[in-house]
Amino acid sequence: MSFVKGAHALLSLPAVALLLSIVGCEESARRPLQVRPPQVAAGAPPERLGPLPIDPRRAGVRPLAVQAPRGVELLLAKVEAAFRTGQQEYKAGHLVKARREFDQALDWLLLSGYDLQADARLEDLFDRIVDTVHAYEMQSFREGDGFSEQKAEPAPIDEIAEMTVPSPESLDPRLGARLAKVLEKVPHDLPLTLNEHVLSYLNFFQTPRGRLIVETGLRRAGRYRPMITRVLREEGLPQDLIYLAQAESAFQPMALSRAGARGIWQFMSYRGREYGLERTWWVDERQDPEKATHAAARHLRDLYQMFGDWYLAMAAYNSGPGNVQRAIEHTGYADFWELYRRNALPRETRNYVPIILALTLMAKDADHYGLQVDPEPPPHLDRVKPGHPIDLRLVAETIDVDVETLRLLNPELLRMVTPADPNFELCLPEGTAERFFAEVAAIPSEKWVSWRRHRVEEGETLSSLARKYHVSPSAIADANGLDGHASLAVGGKLIIPAAARPQPALGKLVRYRVRRGDTLESIAEQFDVSVLELRRWNGLRGHRVARGMRLKIYPGGLTPPATGKSRSREVG
């Protein structure tokens, strides 16, 4: 087994996660896990250490109840021995044993009650463990790709907002009259206004670039239309609100706006949390089409109840209810078009409603506008609960589909691994659930994030597969009950006991340097924390940050360790 690949299995330990939270990370884009260590009161005095769990076979001493300074000597000996043993086990590829030794060494240091900074020997030993395990982690990140975040797609609403559309004065005055007759025949359950602002966007969407945007959205809509219409019906909302999603994202679940909004319905993080959309290192439910549709429907219903008008509700969906309420109070008009005429709303919001209306008109009468669209079929799914984290590549290999198909069916997954949530539902192509459970049953569940399945091709041998997956031929033979010299049946499947990928820990301390244009709000959004947490962690009194400042951040918003013993390093 490769020593480099072996590093991946070490990062899930509570003590190692705590250690790495102290070290920090070189790249703020890597958001590691927080592990809550056992609590030790800050500044605890170095009083009686108590019986240490000493193994006399390694340290050559008997378990004792010791006092300082003898307790420090025993602690040093035990931690040194565990650390050395852990390194030896790691280099030999015995990952579980190495993990146990590192865990024990760190536990003894952090729970000893001694001030590590007060004793140079303890501090030096602690730093050596920090440096070693941190190096293992960095090497693992360079080697692995299983935990890189999936690539987002630009949100169409950003592109549309930048387009130059014809001014109302440049339009053919006969166009409105012709379209008004067409509009009379179009069924709708939202008010459809046809004025010069809507006509401007109708004209733009018939240009080559605009037509491509419309046709792309209508094609993708086929995947989600049955689900969205069902959810809107369940929530008691107009069916035509589906075209708000077309304007926002063109029905792209991975759409990401420049402001940080995600998913088909382009939820900001704080608004998504308000409506129950979870965001973690592993999943972002803003990208779950069905969950986000339920959340969007509830949000739109709340906005309609607030303003009593669908155009104002849509404007509030875009810029927030506070902006719309202030515009109404400032002008005295609770009418979208009057607010438009008085420039009482942001420019983007003024254009937002006409864009949705223009898209609605074109989608409802595609033939009239010459749109050529072959909608994608809706997916037919099996939903399974793996019960344990599992690598999507292993899933793909067990049911013989490509990984991209799985990612398309599960757009809420940010990584290549499912979360450690027993209730998480993984979507598979219809008819594959039974085969999935039958095949993964042959692999221990704790290996689902590291082991693989491989279909044997012509000419492959145990040795060639061992080179491909960086494991020994005997390891593959043992995992499959094969003789080491056996020939492989073409088309048969083998279990490949490959090395595990790293599992970064949420809450690991990140040192972030403030850049030009950063605000506390934008930094909080980037790391999924609150402004209040940023201020508390960094002792900030106000809401301003200066370029070049170093901020302490615990991604995910979890409380940092409160032992008083932890230290961190600034990297980068």
Side-chain angles (χ1 to χ4, degrees):
M1 180 178 293
S2 164
F3 297 165
V4 171
K5 295 292 181 182
H8 299 292
L10 297 174
L11 303 178
S12 61
L13 283 186
V16 174
L18 172 62
L19 169 62
L20 296 180
S21 77
I22 296 165
V23 176
C25 66
E26 296 178 357
E27 298 179 11
S28 62
R30 296 180 181 141
R31 299 183 191 166
L33 284 178
Q34 161 122 20
V35 180
R36 297 183 184 274
Q39 298 296 303
V40 178
E47 55 189 12
R48 188 177 183 85
L49 183 62
L52 289 175
I54 298 174
D55 182 352
R57 291 172 297 179
R58 287 209 307 265
V61 295
R62 292 178 300 171
L64 297 174
V66 292
Q67 292 178 298
R70 183 58 178 162
V72 173
E73 302 292 339
L74 288 175
L75 180 61
L76 285 167
K78 287 306 299 177
V79 173
E80 283 275 13
F83 181 42
R84 284 197 305 270
T85 303
Q87 289 181 293
Q88 293 166 1
E89 299 288 5
Y90 173 77
K91 292 176 181 178
H94 303 153
L95 304 180
V96 175
K97 293 180 180 178
R99 183 170 59 198
R100 187 165 54 242
E101 296 294 337
F102 285 134
D103 195 23
Q104 186 67 84
L106 291 169
D107 279 350
W108 282 338
L109 277 173
L110 295 171
L111 301 178
S112 67
Y114 290 111
D115 183 350
L116 302 185
Q117 298 185 39
D119 190 297
R121 296 167 299 172
L122 292 176
E123 183 175 30
D124 177 70
L125 178 55
F126 184 88
D127 286 342
R128 281 194 287 122
I129 299 176
V130 166
D131 292 340
T132 300
V133 182
H134 182 60
Y136 288 166
E137 186 200 32
M138 291 300 102
Q139 191 171 26
S140 299
F141 274 125
R142 288 192 294 270
E143 291 290 325
D145 64 353
F147 290 84
S148 57
E149 187 169 338
Q150 65 169 313
K151 186 178 180 181
E153 299 288 338
I157 194 67
D158 285 342
E159 183 179 3
I160 296 172
E162 292 179 348
M163 294 293 179
T164 301
V165 299
S167 64
E169 294 77 14
S170 66
L171 298 174
D172 184 345
R174 295 169 295 180
L175 177 62
R178 289 199 305 269
L179 291 178
K181 293 181 180 179
V182 174
L183 181 59
E184 294 175 359
K185 303 176 183 178
V186 176
H188 53 89
D189 57 5
L190 276 179
L192 293 182
T193 300
L194 190 64
N195 59 25
E196 65 272 22
H197 307 296
V198 178
L199 288 173
S200 294
Y201 279 101
L202 273 173
N203 197 55
F204 163 70
F205 285 131
Q206 292 177 82
T207 65
R209 181 58 192 151
R211 182 179 297 272
L212 178 61
I213 292 173
V214 177
E215 291 181 341
T216 299
L218 291 178
R219 185 180 68 253
R220 284 204 196 107
R223 289 186 62 84
Y224 303 109
R225 184 181 297 277
M227 179 272 294
I228 293 176
T229 56
R230 171 178 55 80
V231 171
L232 291 175
R233 185 170 58 252
E234 291 172 355
E235 299 287 349
L237 296 181
Q239 293 288 302
D240 288 350
L241 287 174
I242 189 175
Y243 301 110
L244 186 149
Q246 176 154 349
E248 289 278 10
S249 67
F251 301 101
Q252 171 56 269
M254 275 80 79
L256 174 64
S257 77
R258 286 191 293 271
R262 281 184 181 266
I264 284 178
W265 296 93
Q266 287 291 282
F267 272 99
M268 293 295 289
S269 179
Y270 67 90
R271 189 71 72 193
R273 284 195 294 266
E274 183 180 337
Y275 285 90
L277 298 179
E278 181 182 12
R279 178 186 177 190
T280 70
W281 175 266
W282 306 104
V283 300
D284 192 330
E285 291 181 343
R286 294 177 294 171
Q287 297 182 179
D288 183 310
E290 184 159 351
K291 290 182 179 180
T293 299
H294 277 286
R298 293 194 296 270
H299 184 33
L300 284 164
R301 185 174 58 220
D302 290 345
L303 293 173
Y304 181 75
Q305 290 173 351
M306 184 182 300
F307 296 105
D309 179 273
W310 280 116
Y311 290 176
L312 293 176
M314 288 189 282
Y317 190 94
N318 175 256
S319 64
N323 279 330
V324 175
Q325 185 63 43
R326 283 189 292 272
I328 293 172
E329 292 172 354
H330 178 70
T331 64
Y333 288 94
D335 177 83
F336 173 78
W337 297 113
E338 188 64 29
L339 297 179
Y340 188 112
R341 187 178 69 81
R342 294 170 178 267
N343 290 328
L345 294 169
R347 179 177 178 273
E348 177 187 335
T349 305
R350 294 200 307 273
N351 293 334
Y352 185 73
V353 172
I355 287 171
I356 295 172
L357 294 177
L359 287 171
T360 303
L361 289 168
M362 295 187 73
K364 284 180 168 293
D365 197 8
D367 291 341
H368 175 80
Y369 295 97
L371 300 174
Q372 302 296 319
V373 177
D374 185 14
E376 297 177 6
H380 298 284
L381 306 173
D382 284 347
R383 296 180 183 270
V384 300
K385 291 184 178 181
H388 297 273
I390 188 167
D391 194 303
L392 291 186
R393 288 164 293 192
L394 175 61
V395 178
E397 291 155 359
T398 61
I399 60 176
D400 294 317
V401 301
D402 59 272
V403 172
E404 286 310 308
T405 296
L406 288 178
R407 301 206 80 162
L408 185 62
L409 295 179
N410 300 274
E412 74 278 15
L413 284 175
L414 298 178
R415 319 284 162 181
M416 289 290 287
V417 174
T418 63
D421 177 0
N423 294 315
F424 175 78
E425 288 189 341
L426 181 68
C427 293
L428 305 179
E430 188 176 44
T432 61
E434 186 175 347
R435 188 181 356 157
F436 164 74
F437 283 117
E439 293 232 7
V440 299
I443 300 175
S445 59
E446 66 269 18
K447 305 296 185 182
W448 286 358
V449 295
S450 57
W451 287 18
R452 305 285 295 278
R453 291 285 266 173
H454 178 84
R455 186 177 295 280
V456 179
E457 298 180 1
E458 185 72 39
E460 289 184 324
T461 64
L462 286 175
S463 296
S464 68
L465 292 179
R467 288 192 298 273
K468 177 178 180 179
Y469 289 100
H470 305 288
V471 294
S472 67
S474 61
I476 299 176
D478 290 345
N480 293 275
L482 299 174
D483 181 275
H485 303 287
S487 59
L488 305 180
V490 175
K493 280 191 174 180
L494 296 177
I495 296 171
I496 307 295
R501 300 291 183 182
Q503 299 189 33
L506 280 175
K508 187 172 72 177
L509 174 61
V510 172
R511 295 282 188 176
Y512 179 80
R513 186 180 295 279
V514 177
R515 302 169 185 171
R516 183 191 300 274
D518 278 346
T519 63
L520 280 180
E521 289 77 10
S522 67
I523 297 170
E525 172 73 20
Q526 178 180 347
F527 289 96
D528 191 21
V529 300
S530 70
V531 171
L532 182 61
E533 287 170 324
L534 282 179
R535 293 176 62 195
R536 186 175 73 247
W537 294 333
N538 295 277
L540 300 176
R541 294 177 179 271
H543 287 269
R544 300 185 64 182
V545 287
R547 182 183 178 189
M549 284 179 61
R550 282 278 191 179
L551 297 180
K552 294 185 294 184
I553 303 175
Y554 296 85
L558 301 179
T559 304
T563 64
K565 305 290 187 296
S566 299
R567 293 163 298 154
S568 62
R569 293 187 175 183
E570 297 185 5
V571 180

